[in-house]
Amino acid sequence: MNTTKAYSAASATSPLSLDTIQRRDTTERDVRIEILYCGICHSDLHTVRNEWSSVMPTTYPCVPGHEIVGRVTKVGAGVTRFKPGELVGVGCLVDSDQSCPHCRANVEQFCSEAVFTYNSPDKHLGGVTYGGYSENIVVDEQFVLRVPANLDLAGVAPLLCAGITTYSPIRRWGDIKGKKVGVVGLGGLGHMGVKFARAFGAQVVVFTTSPGKKEDALRLGAHEVIISTNAEEMKKHAGSFDFILDTIAAEHDINAYLGMLGLDGNITLVGAPEKPLAVSAFALLFGRKSISGSLIGGIQETQEMLDFCGKHNITADVEIIPIQQVNEAYARMVKSDVKYRFSIDMASLKSE
Ligand code: NAP
Ligand code: ZN
């Protein structure tokens, strides 16, 4: 075992602070990775504060972080796909049974044995898995991704969750070229949703509660921006969307967005608010509309997304912070004040 520095939360009400954790020695199939950057996802905050207690209660200490980019430092004897020195990524998944129908269909995220990067049972060391707010991580090579060499690493890290979580439902919806696509919430996920929807040729409209993000939304690729708190602006677009991606992290009125959809329109939720959303049956019946959900993406699709980003030069827009500012970053995330993802420079942990 190896002792590693990390930032952890001791309880739902504690700030994140310096801690030490154990990482396993590399087994036959493992890759050991020195973490260079780790994105801050709103799921990190939900988990640290135990906001998903009814579905996935948090075990403490909790070391979050599932948007990991780093360099391979060691590989097990049976590892064939990676060598020390290579740049790699790790997202939300670090293991699954790799034999069930979901794994065979390349949607390991739905495997009943899926192991998430943090707060999942750790079958090697006991306790729970610890995420990327740490110096290094040891991961089965099947769950390690290749990172395109041409991209900025701080901006690549968020692709491992915010990227795949928006790429996957957009691809799944079908050919969005020329379709009117809405992205609700311009945060970490939302700004990636805008980039992908635009890259696939959609007519992209952002719904935001933050008037100050309007210019950025257009720069990121939106054709139009709607301030969702302005009833007049909302009314103008009623019934006109083919597909809407809802990334909101908090309670909100989903019926307002169902009203934006046209016949057979679909809204896909990727945001995971703590409390249930109330849905009006009538908002679905009239117009034969549907609501779906989507959870990250499988490993194969995550690699496809990274390769797509490499080819089209797509990364997240990041604010790079030292790990010592992580609690401040959380406070800003709650206030929707992120442009548009925090990426932690993990070199800052070495100096502690
Ligand atoms: P984020 O960066 O905090 O962005 C969320 C955005 O939602 C905010 O920037 C804000 O955008 C909008 N928003 C926040 N509170 C709101 C409110 N009360 N009413 C209306 N809009 C509000 O968060 P994120 O990292 O993108 O994550 C978004 C959600 O997706 C979280 O719940 C997260 O846990 C979840 N998630 C799900 C998956 C998955 O696999 N399904 C993966 C990753 C994350 P504006 O300022 O533009 O209004
Ligand atoms: Zn995430």
Side-chain angles (χ1 to χ4, degrees):
M1 286 211 293
N2 298 280
T3 303
T4 300
K5 281 194 264 185
Y7 259 55
S8 75
S11 78
T13 51
S14 313
L16 289 149
S17 61
L18 183 63
D19 196 356
T20 51
I21 56 166
Q22 299 299 318
R23 294 295 191 194
R24 66 179 182 266
D25 293 327
T26 47
T27 68
E28 183 83 5
R29 298 158 52 111
D30 281 336
V31 176
R32 188 177 170 88
I33 300 160
E34 179 198 5
I35 301 174
L36 300 175
Y37 291 95
C38 184
I40 298 181
C41 179
H42 208 114
S43 303
D44 300 351
L45 186 152
H46 288 306
T47 306
V48 160
R49 299 189 178 172
N50 204 13
E51 290 175 355
W52 292 337
S53 58
S54 58
V55 189
M56 292 185 276
T58 305
T59 300
Y60 296 94
C62 173
V63 177
H66 57 204
E67 297 186 332
I68 297 166
V69 162
R71 195 177 291 284
V72 176
T73 53
K74 195 175 174 193
V75 297
V79 169
T80 56
R81 297 172 49 234
F82 299 99
K83 288 198 290 289
E86 287 178 335
L87 289 171
V88 293
V90 177
C92 303
L93 289 168
V94 289
D95 208 354
S96 70
D97 70 16
Q98 296 182 52
S99 59
C100 73
H102 296 317
C103 288
R104 289 205 304 270
N106 296 310
V107 284
E108 300 88 351
Q109 72 271 36
F110 304 121
C111 171
S112 60
E113 301 295 313
V115 178
F116 293 95
T117 306
Y118 57 82
N119 198 43
S120 253
D122 183 337
K123 65 185 182 199
H124 298 271
L125 298 181
V128 291
T129 50
Y130 294 132
Y133 298 6
S134 57
E135 288 178 298
N136 56 60
I137 192 165
V138 177
V139 181
D140 183 309
E141 73 163 325
Q142 298 301 330
F143 293 83
V144 178
L145 286 308
R146 290 189 183 286
V147 167
N150 57 315
L151 299 179
D152 168 63
L153 289 183
V156 167
L159 300 178
L160 276 304
C161 175
I164 184 59
T165 301
T166 49
Y167 179 92
S168 182
I170 288 172
R171 296 305 284 152
R172 189 170 167 71
W173 189 83
D175 186 4
I176 63 166
K177 199 167 181 351
K179 303 289 183 191
K180 189 166 173 184
V181 169
V183 176
V184 188
L186 197 67
L189 266 57
H191 94 291
M192 290 311 307
V194 169
K195 291 188 185 205
F196 288 131
R198 180 66 190 247
F200 289 114
Q203 176 72 23
V204 185
V205 181
V206 164
F207 293 91
T208 180
T209 58
S210 308
K213 293 181 182 174
K214 197 166 180 170
E215 289 309 311
D216 281 343
L218 297 170
R219 176 182 58 77
L220 291 163
H223 295 91
E224 228 173 312
V225 182
I226 299 173
I227 306 303
S228 53
T229 47
N230 182 325
E232 278 307 304
E233 277 189 54
M234 291 288 275
K235 212 165 135 192
K236 267 193 266 169
H237 291 264
S240 67
F241 283 82
D242 296 293
F243 174 66
I244 296 178
L245 190 65
D246 182 346
T247 78
I248 298 180
E251 239 180 319
H252 60 286
D253 178 17
I254 190 170
N255 302 301
Y257 297 101
L258 287 170
M260 296 290 122
L261 293 172
L263 181 62
D264 289 327
N266 170 265
I267 183 164
T268 295
L269 301 184
V270 285
E274 180 179 359
K275 299 209 178 85
L277 302 174
V279 177
S280 151
F282 287 99
L284 289 170
L285 305 185
F286 285 94
R288 211 162 48 194
K289 297 166 186 176
S290 62
I291 304 181
S292 316
S294 190
L295 181 72
I296 48 174
I299 294 298
Q300 189 186 80
E301 194 177 35
T302 305
Q303 189 62 64
E304 177 192 307
M305 177 276 308
L306 286 168
D307 295 345
F308 180 86
C309 289
K311 200 166 160 201
H312 297 271
N313 222 0
I314 293 174
T315 51
D317 285 31
V318 292
E319 187 175 333
I320 300 173
I321 58 162
I323 194 144
Q324 292 77 8
Q325 283 174 19
V326 67
N327 294 302
E328 207 179 312
Y330 275 32
R332 281 182 52 194
M333 190 152 63
V334 171
K335 291 190 285 184
S336 301
D337 175 23
V338 186
K339 292 182 174 170
Y340 280 86
R341 197 56 140 189
F342 289 111
S343 188
I344 308 170
D345 179 352
M346 296 308 303
S348 58
L349 184 54
K350 286 197 173 41
S351 59
E352 289 239 3

